[in-house]
Amino acid sequence: MWIVAWLAMGLGRRPAQAVLRLVVLHYFLFHPDTRRRSREFLDSVGVAAGWRPVYRHLLRFAECTLDRLFFLRGEVGALDFRQHGHEHLADLAHRGRGAILLGAHLGSFESLRWLGQARNLPLHIVADVRNAVRIQSLLARLARPESLRFIDAGGSVVHVALEVRAAVERGELVAILADRVSGPRTVAAPFLGRQAYFPAGPFLIAAVLGCPVYLAFGLYFAPRRYELYCELLAADIHLPRAGRDAALAAVVAAYAARLEHYCRLAPDNWFNFFDFFAPPPAPPVPPSSSP
């Protein structure tokens, strides 16, 4: 990682990308589980998953990871951006109102953070940094301090919720990747012709705050183009006491349907290399002697 970062900073993006191809080849050859998960996903979106599409899938992940460095350092002159629906962000900036952006492990969320900064809208990303300690450590040492706006999801739920509320009340944006289960409560929804499980937490937080909720995705198309999408999911997520579970299931299903749409636009941008459709493990049952 340090060799690639050194090449990127010293020689530029293209030489670093050339080295990435060798790194990805190593993973392609020696990580069969990753190949299998890639193939399973590509099959689910109708891509014939031979070795070329699988290798390209892994390469897109590596390229987006490399570009995180350029986004965090504010060095994006080599990249091409095309925006769709970002009048929503302009309106938020004009009104000084905060909002929640729901994304996924699809494409690059750092590209959207950069866009928020360009529009004078500070954007915080809720992330469990324990999942990629070495990469986060490297980026933290090389990035501009003002680019590192993270809310650590590894803490208590109450702490995370309070930080999200404080940022929204300041008129800032909070991005939550709502496609990966990290807590005990999940919601099942149709996704790519199967049943998948999504975390309830992001939607419950948005309902409590009563703020607008947008979908946001930054899809990467080689060699240097990012298509940035923003659309309204709900002006206010309302979960009535009567029928609360049904209302929650409906909004999660709406999110899953739009996520599927963007997955089909760029299948090789899907970066969940695990069994996404597996049901979450059941919470442990305490011993009968416990209070």
Side-chain angles (χ1 to χ4, degrees):
M1 288 188 294
W2 275 106
I3 291 173
V4 173
W6 175 81
L7 285 172
M9 291 185 298
L11 300 178
R13 185 171 179 267
R14 292 185 65 182
Q17 281 186 316
V19 175
L20 278 186
R21 293 180 178 274
L22 297 176
V23 175
V24 172
L25 180 61
H26 167 82
Y27 275 89
F28 178 84
L29 293 175
F30 297 106
H31 290 255
D33 286 345
T34 304
R35 290 199 310 271
R36 183 171 65 256
R37 298 309 179 195
S38 170
R39 187 175 294 110
E40 289 172 354
F41 176 79
L42 294 176
D43 283 340
S44 70
V45 291
V47 176
W51 73 267
R52 288 181 184 273
V54 171
Y55 175 82
R56 184 169 58 246
H57 189 189
L58 302 183
L59 181 62
R60 293 294 174 266
F61 173 66
E63 289 171 333
C64 285
T65 302
L66 172 66
D67 283 346
R68 290 183 66 188
L69 176 62
F70 295 102
F71 286 121
L72 291 171
R73 291 175 64 84
E75 301 170 358
V76 296
L79 301 175
D80 176 31
F81 299 97
R82 302 180 188 181
Q83 302 177 28
H84 310 271
H86 285 78
E87 65 275 6
H88 299 301
L89 298 183
D91 180 63
L92 289 172
H94 176 71
R95 293 188 293 155
R97 188 173 186 190
I100 288 179
L101 303 183
L102 293 183
H105 292 80
L106 179 74
S108 170
F109 224 92
E110 293 295 348
S111 62
L112 297 162
R113 186 210 296 272
W114 170 83
L115 180 64
Q117 291 175 342
R119 293 179 175 272
N120 295 316
L121 273 171
L123 191 152
H124 307 262
I125 295 180
V126 178
D128 189 344
V129 298
R130 297 173 300 179
N131 292 332
V133 174
R134 287 179 293 179
I135 290 178
Q136 293 293 347
S137 175
L138 183 148
L139 293 174
R141 293 179 62 178
L142 299 177
R144 297 186 304 179
E146 63 270 22
S147 297
L148 296 172
R149 294 178 181 266
F150 283 100
I151 296 175
D152 185 4
S156 71
V157 174
V158 173
H159 176 73
V160 172
L162 290 175
E163 286 206 50
V164 171
R165 183 177 70 178
V168 170
E169 290 177 348
R170 291 193 301 266
E172 299 170 355
L173 303 179
V174 176
I176 306 176
L177 306 184
D179 61 329
R180 189 171 292 181
V181 172
S182 59
R185 187 167 184 185
T186 63
V187 180
F191 181 65
L192 293 173
R194 300 169 64 183
Q195 179 171 268
Y197 298 86
F198 297 88
F203 304 92
L204 295 175
I205 290 175
V208 170
L209 296 182
C211 63
V213 181
Y214 295 88
L215 300 179
F217 301 99
L219 303 183
Y220 171 67
F221 296 88
R224 62 189 189 94
R225 175 165 56 95
Y226 281 89
E227 300 279 351
L228 308 180
Y229 294 90
C230 182
E231 64 178 69
L232 180 67
L233 178 67
D236 176 17
I237 294 179
H238 179 58
L239 302 178
R241 187 180 300 273
R244 179 182 178 88
D245 289 344
L248 178 60
V251 71
V252 173
Y255 165 83
R258 297 308 294 161
L259 176 60
E260 178 174 329
H261 167 77
Y262 288 105
C263 285
R264 294 188 183 279
L265 290 182
D268 57 9
N269 276 222
W270 177 256
F271 301 146
N272 284 308
F273 294 104
F274 59 90
D275 187 1
F276 187 78
F277 296 95
V285 179
S288 58
S289 59
S290 298

